Amino acid sequence: MTIYAATVVDTPGDPFTGDPAAALTEDGALLVRDGVIRARGSLAEVTAAHPGEAVTRLDGGLLLPGFVDTHVHFPQIRAIGGLGLPLLDWLERYALPEECKLADRAYARAVAREFTDGLVASGTTSALVFGSHFAPAMDELFTAAGQRGLNITSGLVLSDRKLPPDLLHSPETALADSADLILRWHDRGRLRYAVTPRFSLSTSDEMLDACAQLLGKGVWFTSHINENLAEVATVAGLFPGARHYLDTYCRHGLVTPRSVFAHNVHPGDAELALLAEHGASVAHCPTSNSALGSGLFPLRRHVEHGIGVALGSDVGAGTGLFLPKEALQAYFVQQLLGPAGLSLTPAHLLYLATRAGARALGLGDRVGDLAVGKDFDAVWLRPADGSTLAVNLRHARDTSDALARIFALATPADVAGVWIRGERAAGAGPAGAEHAGAEPARAEHAGAEA
Ligand SMILES: [Zn+2]
């Protein structure tokens, strides 16, 4: 057992349905045994109830729940930064040529390691990962994720038209390859499977039918929707009988409480009503939407329909794996929408980066906050002394204000430690900032090693 003494901050409440300030909680200590949080309270309370237990002091900064990324393409980790193009041109120029390279298993293995290491270094401990079009590359991703203990839901990406030929399956091979992967990886430790048609633009009705057959195996579902106006128009032309983009999935039974749709920047009200009715969630990827010029996400309309929204880094089209940056960009997008936007508080931003994602992925009873009974998946954001973030944290008025400064200023360099089910996964910890025992901490160069 270990007692962690830290400024523990999380959002067990939902700031979108109640008072945002009430969604935020703060404590001074957690007791962790076998990877699970067993007690929480002030340091005095926890040490009094568990005398003699070792205390690990995490002085300075904030200890937050591990981040939850609900949309991120692992094959694109080497293809970030292709600026200046809209979605369909960007796919053709940057993303798809890189994704073709994952046919080479050794290449895929290296990419899977870089990707999963990148998640950990960014404080992301759970993710819905958009996979590769190649089954052996999926084995590499699941293997790398399992080795790191990450909570990963992912699956083979399926398409049967309009992409480079190397990336296509027939519905028959899609069924066989996916069924094989499900058998080997679904519900293995913290790994789960998600049926993943790339988007209905590149999948025929026959392929979407195959996806529906696979969903019968109790797995998850993810795809893209309503990202860009040219894409929406193309899909409408390919499915003349569909009522709208969501209907291309819905009429195959693919909109369920286990479905997560990325983007939804341009939804109609009928689509929002249908998402709510079926309990599906939406992954909002604000840096990607901004970089591709896709549009400004209508968060208020989603919230008013009661749809669960969480954050995704998207990665190739986005700007990296660090979820607080996505939260900050989500805040910017809502500000830019003026009266149509939803002004976000620091509690909203933390919720979007943690508990909202856990709920969207059906993991709300296991991760996403630091309540007793949850897995100890956590990230310690602790800036180097003298950094602008450290200066700002020193002048924060209260917890909410400290969080605001974290979201405005933090980078992956401020990740001083990551725990995955109680195991220290990243950040050796700056000398003096973290140590066992009760002596006061020195905190020189805190965070510099992360
Ligand atoms: Zn995507």
Side-chain angles (χ1 to χ4, degrees):
M1 281 196 290
T2 304
I3 293 170
Y4 291 92
T7 303
V8 179
V9 177
D10 62 354
T11 47
D14 181 347
F16 289 100
T17 56
D19 174 12
L24 202 62
T25 63
E26 178 184 342
D27 270 303
L30 299 173
L31 173 77
V32 176
R33 187 178 64 226
D34 298 331
V36 176
I37 299 165
R38 309 288 177 167
R40 172 172 167 159
S42 70
L43 181 58
E45 288 166 353
V46 175
T47 51
H50 303 276
E53 295 301 337
V55 176
T56 295
R57 298 192 65 96
L58 307 177
D59 292 325
L62 302 182
L63 185 69
L64 305 176
F67 301 125
V68 183
D69 191 334
T70 57
H71 185 73
V72 54
H73 292 252
F74 105 81
Q76 298 175 1
I77 194 67
R78 297 181 178 183
I80 298 170
L83 301 180
L85 296 175
L87 172 67
L88 298 177
D89 302 306
W90 173 83
L91 279 170
E92 192 178 319
R93 169 95 172 267
Y94 291 107
L96 299 178
E98 175 66 19
E99 296 204 21
C100 287
K101 296 180 189 169
L102 274 83
D104 176 341
R105 185 156 186 163
Y107 190 92
R109 182 177 307 136
V111 168
R113 287 174 180 168
E114 291 164 1
F115 173 77
T116 47
D117 284 343
L119 288 182
V120 174
S122 300
T124 295
T125 51
S126 299
L128 176 57
V129 176
F130 221 86
S132 165
H133 292 260
F134 302 100
M138 293 311 301
D139 285 318
E140 294 298 341
L141 173 69
F142 282 125
T143 299
Q147 287 167 347
R148 288 156 183 76
L150 292 163
N151 233 331
I152 294 293
T153 307
S154 189
L156 183 67
V157 180
L158 305 175
S159 292
D160 61 351
R161 65 182 177 191
K162 291 194 170 294
L163 296 187
D166 288 356
L167 300 182
L168 302 181
H169 287 82
S170 67
E172 294 72 32
T173 60
L175 271 174
D177 287 359
S178 303
D180 179 52
L181 286 165
I182 290 168
L183 203 61
R184 285 185 293 116
W185 295 108
H186 182 59
D187 269 343
R188 182 165 148 184
R190 297 183 114 196
L191 307 176
R192 302 184 308 178
Y193 196 84
V195 176
T196 311
R198 186 158 197 125
F199 51 171
S200 45
L201 192 150
S202 68
T203 46
S204 68
D205 277 310
E206 293 69 35
M207 184 62 98
L208 293 167
D209 261 340
C211 292
Q213 286 185 50
L214 292 164
L215 264 199
K217 298 179 185 292
V219 296
W220 284 73
F221 178 85
T222 191
S223 195
H224 295 97
I225 194 164
N226 290 322
E227 180 173 1
N228 157 294
L229 292 173
E231 169 218 13
V232 175
T234 305
V235 168
L238 288 165
F239 294 91
R243 291 171 293 168
H244 39 61
Y245 198 152
L246 185 64
D247 194 35
T248 63
Y249 301 113
C250 196
R251 59 192 188 163
H252 292 280
L254 300 172
V255 183
T256 78
R258 289 184 162 217
S259 303
V260 179
F261 291 93
H263 303 305
N264 212 29
V265 178
H266 305 284
D269 285 338
E271 292 174 294
L272 293 173
L274 209 51
L275 285 167
E277 183 189 324
H278 290 274
S281 301
V282 168
H284 171 34
C285 307
T287 72
S288 167
N289 294 165
S290 302
L292 296 173
S294 300
L296 301 174
F297 180 71
L299 178 61
R300 177 183 289 281
R301 291 172 60 215
H302 284 76
V303 169
E304 285 173 355
H305 277 86
I307 299 164
V309 174
L311 292 175
S313 65
D314 209 9
V315 87
T319 58
L321 296 168
F322 192 55
L323 262 285
K325 182 153 75 164
E326 297 301 327
L328 178 66
Q329 188 70 18
Y331 167 80
F332 289 155
V333 165
Q334 295 309 308
Q335 293 298 101
L336 290 169
L337 277 165
L342 194 59
S343 201
L344 296 172
T345 68
H348 285 107
L349 302 187
L350 181 59
Y351 177 81
L352 284 169
T354 57
R355 180 150 168 76
R359 291 178 71 178
L361 301 185
L363 297 170
D365 60 342
R366 289 165 50 191
V367 295
D369 61 71
L370 298 171
V372 171
K374 300 284 168 74
D375 290 351
F376 184 54
D377 279 9
V379 52
W380 181 31
L381 292 178
R382 202 285 185 208
D385 288 348
S387 68
T388 305
L389 176 54
V391 169
N392 273 267
L393 287 178
R394 206 165 62 239
H395 292 281
R397 292 183 303 278
D398 54 26
T399 305
S400 178
D401 191 30
L403 265 186
R405 293 163 193 257
I406 290 266
F407 282 108
L409 285 159
T411 74
D414 300 308
V415 173
V418 176
W419 288 262
I420 298 177
R421 252 197 144 252
E423 295 291 321
R424 184 75 184 254
E434 174 201 353
H435 65 138
E439 318 92 81
R442 295 177 304 109
E444 285 177 358
H445 309 298
E449 293 174 34

